[in-house]
Amino acid sequence: MCTQQSGKNKLPVVELYTSEGCSSCPPADQWLSHLKGQAAVVQAFHVGYWDQLGWVDRFATPAHTVRQRQVGTWNQLASIYTPQAVLNGKDWARWGGNVADKAAEPGLANISLRQLGPDQFEALVTPVAGAPGHWSAYWTVTENGYSSKVKAGENAGEFLQHDFVVRQYVVAGVYASDSSTAQKLTFRSIASSLDHPRQVNLVVFDPQTGKTLQAVTAPC
């Protein structure tokens, strides 16, 4: 059973909105794979609005598009697009390189994560001084080592490889900040796969702005 404790500084959170039907997405997918081993929560949210071109992205869910639209609202974007990178809740138009140098900002919450069983997890979240009046959180399970031979759409004929694919996304609610009491969050994940190593992630954020307050990731 694994455990994870947040540090003093904010763990960077990278979200990539991508699609197997988008011809400009493979370079972003490749860049994301290069983030393996970095201290960050890295997530590839596949969206389905490119499916109409003839290739259905098997990793896409409507919930991912809903989240991307919410990110667009927080960032006052006129429209959503792929590939879109987001760093700590902010649109990251000039994505690229490493994210290790993005960790200098102090975290605004403490998170203690532990695994209770093969697919059961619990986290204690405590806001710290400077946190907004309310906070929210979401869980994701990301998996590595996927590939697809695309047979239609803009990427027809391409062999695509994916890491950090979001296989489960669960919003954990909104809570009032109280630095004297830890809020317990529980999570039941999808079953783990020997073929696709997974990470269990918890991201705590400001529900008014989308800004990351703190996050943890564990290879459970």
Side-chain angles (χ1 to χ4, degrees):
M1 302 301 172
C2 64
T3 62
Q4 192 63 259
Q5 177 68 49
S6 61
K8 179 180 178 181
N9 287 334
K10 185 185 305 180
L11 189 68
V13 175
V14 177
E15 301 170 56
L16 176 66
Y17 293 91
T18 184
S19 171
E20 290 190 337
C22 158
S23 62
S24 58
C25 287
D29 296 330
Q30 293 167 13
W31 161 70
L32 208 70
S33 292
H34 292 155
L35 298 183
K36 287 180 180 178
Q38 294 198 30
V41 173
V42 183
Q43 305 162 110
F45 286 89
H46 286 239
V47 295
Y49 47 82
W50 287 93
D51 292 358
Q52 61 185 336
L53 297 183
W55 180 256
V56 176
D57 190 326
R58 61 191 167 123
F59 304 116
T61 74
H64 295 173
T65 303
V66 170
R67 173 158 182 83
Q68 188 184 19
R69 292 191 187 281
Q70 179 61 69
V71 169
T73 298
W74 282 324
N75 284 273
Q76 300 181 337
L77 300 180
S79 61
I80 58 176
Y81 62 96
T82 55
Q84 181 191 12
V86 178
L87 177 63
N88 291 337
K90 298 299 182 183
D91 183 56
W92 189 12
R94 296 186 178 181
W95 52 267
N98 297 330
V99 296
D101 58 345
K102 310 295 182 182
E105 190 175 354
L108 295 179
N110 292 321
I111 306 174
S112 179
L113 172 71
R114 65 172 180 151
Q115 185 175 13
L116 304 178
D119 301 308
Q120 292 182 298
F121 300 87
E122 176 185 278
L124 297 178
V125 179
T126 309
V128 301
H134 289 80
W135 58 272
S136 187
Y138 69 83
W139 299 87
T140 58
V141 173
T142 54
E143 294 180 337
N144 295 336
Y146 282 99
S147 61
S148 296
K149 179 67 174 179
V150 180
K151 299 179 180 179
E154 289 190 351
N155 287 320
E158 296 294 328
F159 180 73
L160 304 180
Q161 295 179 293
H162 307 298
D163 293 304
F164 302 109
V165 178
V166 174
R167 303 295 285 140
Q168 187 176 12
Y169 163 62
V170 177
V171 178
V174 178
Y175 305 91
S177 295
D178 182 353
S179 60
S180 64
T181 305
Q183 175 67 49
K184 182 187 294 185
L185 304 179
T186 58
F187 176 58
R188 182 179 290 275
S189 73
I190 58 175
S192 61
S193 168
L194 295 177
D195 295 332
H196 302 288
R198 75 176 182 181
Q199 303 85 33
V200 175
N201 312 296
L202 179 63
V203 178
V204 177
F205 64 96
D206 182 343
Q208 296 297 315
T209 66
K211 180 181 179 181
T212 299
L213 305 180
Q214 187 55 286
V216 292
T217 183
C220 298

